[in-house]
Amino acid sequence: MKIKRVLMLLAASVMLVTQLAACGSGGADSEKEVESPKTQPSETENEAEKSGASEDAGETTDSDIMTPFGRYEEPVTITTAKVAITNPHFPEGKSSSDNVTIDWIKEKLNVDVDILWEADGSEYINKLSLAITSGGLPDMIFVSDYSMFKTLVENDMLADLTEAYEKCAGNYMKSTFDSYGGKNLEPCTFDGKLYAIPGASLGYTHDVLWIRKDWLDKLGLEEPKTLEDIKNIAREFIEKDPGGNGAGNTIGIAVNATQPVGGCGNYGGLEPIFNMLGVYPRQWMEDENGQVYYGSTVPEMKEGLQIARDMYDEGLIDKSFVIRTNPGELSALINSNQVGMYFGQWWTAFERQDLAKEHPESDWIAVNAPLDEEGKFKHEEPSPAYNFLCVRKGFEHPEVIVKILNLEQEMARGYMEGGTEAIAPYKEAGTNWVAWYPTGDINLEYYDIVPKTGHYIAEYLKDNSFAGDELTTEQDRTSWKYAQEYVNTKDVNSPGWGEYYARYIGSTILDSEECVGVPSVYYYTTDSSADYKADLDKLEDEMYLKIITGEEDIDYFDEFVETWNALGGDILIQEVQQAVDSKK
């Protein structure tokens, strides 16, 4: 095996661990991004009876084992390692190795989970690297970088999961993956064999325009549609100070300090302006001739940069955005009552509740703007998969990880009897679900769960009679009732505030008729990403800051493109082209 190559990739990938894909990351906001779960009424109980997972089931046969909840007659132990979660908020006395999910896996499947070690993101990669070179891989392997995963496959270090998925994936897992049209399983498949269960990345995580509706109403302004509308509203907000902040203290549009252009779902980014022009920064795209290109390097980028530069010069964009680099400073600024607009995902509305508590009059709306010349709101689509759960080759029961994922998901969603009650203490304690699942950050959710939830809340708010459909859980209905409670009481301290603004106001517009999602042709890292990507990203970040703030003129973009290609961009383009061509 090419162990040295594996070690090099894993070690170099420490810097890439949070950059697996341009969007769809499960990082710091993963708790917000995991939506209210929906699933078909699965055949969990029937499967449990057939497989021996029910309490009164008898002994299982060999054929029962290869089912979604097939219980092993003899105990099976599976080892794993976990990325540590800071402040997981476990109930007292509980931990990642001693919690209700671990107990249920033992009870229902007769499987013991042995967590060998835990480490934070970068240290996790280092320890995994050592485990590979020493031959000490755990049985269940969580991988957060695609090039690492691909290298493990190429070096024949992972088990084939094709049969395990086909026979043991439950109705819920298969139906969620079906909602992606196979796009999230495709990167895990080589020569027709499946080597990982991917963590699905929710769709509809792109930025929309959030705007202070109470300020619009106060000034008699209409909701914006075009870029010119947005500019005019920013001018009105700044000049007329509807928030009463005092002259010169109102900010038209808040912007991300370190990445004013960061790709799909970049909180506080300016991507919608570029997307309006048919330009998709930080995305791998393909032209009409099948040639791969990097969206940040096309000549049309200059028009978007000039727009951003002009808006900054005029003061429509926060003139001090480049110095607001502390973590949480963007949200703190918006919550200070000084900001009229920002671009952000649906879930960012949850962060506005602190503002509402200080300024109950604050009222936000989400708008699909700016529209292009044809009246369409173009936006980038997220990566369909952002991390990977694998099994060490040689482990006797690779299907165990599929069964564990089945149990975790259906237990949490209340489709296993007693599941809702069992996890209640963890919900009440605010435990991070990644911490109590032995599989870690492997999210299984429907691609369109975000807008669907918003539309269901909209139906419920009409007269409280809407009960959902066969996919609806009690957790969903609780979310709807919270939203209704806020509508009735206008209590800014209630949990219904976030349900109303994020899941209703922010989500229902995401699949509107004017929306046009534009997918990338490739979302993942390549063999050379560890060698070049960090430096190329830094170069790109600096280019945006320099041009937007006027440190460099617009023609500096041409110099950036030349340098980007010379420093490894050309190599990455070639590798992505090969990856894309290999799938055709």
Side-chain angles (χ1 to χ4, degrees), residues 325-403:
T325 58
N326 293 327
E329 195 164 359
L330 176 61
S331 282
L333 175 66
I334 299 171
N335 285 343
S336 70
N337 198 46
Q338 294 177 268
V339 174
M341 290 178 281
Y342 71 92
F343 292 105
Q345 306 98 310
W346 65 273
W347 59 260
T348 59
F350 282 113
E351 299 193 356
R352 305 288 80 81
Q353 189 163 11
D354 287 342
L355 172 63
K357 291 175 181 178
E358 292 294 324
H359 296 273
E361 76 283 359
S362 63
D363 186 16
W364 292 89
I365 55 171
V367 182
N368 289 321
L371 304 179
D372 67 11
E373 293 179 351
E374 298 178 352
K376 298 298 183 181
F377 182 68
K378 294 177 181 175
H379 61 82
E380 299 161 356
E381 291 187 351
S383 166
Y386 65 91
N387 47 37
F388 309 89
L389 193 68
C390 319
V391 176
R392 171 185 61 81
K393 185 174 182 179
F395 180 62
E396 184 179 1
H397 295 288
E399 73 280 354
V400 165
I401 72 162
V402 181
K403 296 183 184 186

Side-chain angles (χ1 to χ4, degrees), residues 460-512:
Y460 184 80
L461 291 180
K462 290 178 180 177
D463 59 11
N464 303 345
S465 65
F466 181 71
D469 56 23
E470 70 276 6
L471 306 179
T472 305
T473 68
E474 284 307 309
Q475 182 174 338
D476 296 321
R477 295 188 180 96
T478 298
S479 174
W480 308 349
K481 292 173 183 177
Y482 277 145
Q484 182 64 67
E485 177 183 329
Y486 172 73
V487 171
N488 292 340
T489 66
K490 299 300 180 183
D491 180 3
V492 297
N493 295 295
S494 75
W497 192 97
E499 301 296 326
Y500 178 82
Y501 279 99
R503 302 191 196 277
Y504 171 51
I505 297 296
S507 300
T508 51
I509 71 166
L510 298 176
D511 60 352
S512 299

